[in-house]
Amino acid sequence: MDISSKLFVDVYNVEELKNSIINIILLQKGEVPGNPNFGSTVNSSIFDMQDGFALINLEDKIRDAINTQDDRIVLEEVVIEHIPEYNKTVAKIKFTSDLTNITTPLNITIG
């Protein structure tokens, strides 16, 4: 495989993994027909008071959902940040995979 083909495969795999993470986090469990355990319970927590405990709870839910539903993804870091002036919560995720050796950042607005 030449270098341009390898680069294309790595970029394709990274985008596929990003889409998987987004789907796992933003879909509620029970929302996917035929696969009731796919997704997370993150959406049920986004309206909780955004204190330190709620942010840790969100981080735990994200880690648990990704670790149990996509074994291709290796989480390196999950940081939850509440931005009160915009009334939003952002999950900042860094991950790698056995498909690529690239550490990839991903920011997802979850509330």
Side-chain angles (χ1 to χ4, degrees):
M1 179 182 297
D2 67 0
I3 190 72
S4 62
S5 297
K6 171 133 178 52
L7 181 60
F8 174 76
V9 169
D10 286 348
V11 169
Y12 175 79
N13 288 335
V14 167
E15 291 306 310
E16 181 182 330
L17 294 171
K18 283 181 178 182
N19 287 334
S20 180
I21 291 170
I22 291 167
N23 287 333
I24 291 169
I25 292 173
L26 297 182
L27 288 172
Q28 283 285 96
K29 282 191 175 189
E31 208 173 349
V32 177
N35 193 354
N37 292 319
F38 184 83
S40 72
T41 57
V42 168
N43 287 335
S44 64
S45 301
I46 59 174
F47 296 110
D48 292 345
M49 183 177 11
Q50 297 299 315
D51 61 7
F53 294 114
L55 299 180
I56 290 170
N57 185 31
L58 280 172
E59 179 184 334
D60 289 344
K61 287 181 177 189
I62 288 171
R63 284 183 181 279
D64 182 55
I66 293 170
N67 288 334
T68 58
Q69 295 178 47
D70 197 330
D71 58 2
R72 302 171 300 168
I73 298 168
V74 177
L75 291 174
E76 292 187 0
E77 183 177 57
V78 177
V79 175
I80 307 299
E81 181 181 352
H82 181 65
I83 306 169
E85 56 270 16
Y86 297 110
N87 196 28
K88 72 178 183 177
T89 303
V90 177
K92 297 180 177 184
I93 299 168
K94 289 185 182 174
F95 69 93
T96 188
S97 171
D98 57 353
L99 301 174
T100 67
N101 291 326
I102 302 168
T103 298
T104 305
L106 175 64
N107 294 338
I108 303 170
T109 300
I110 53 176

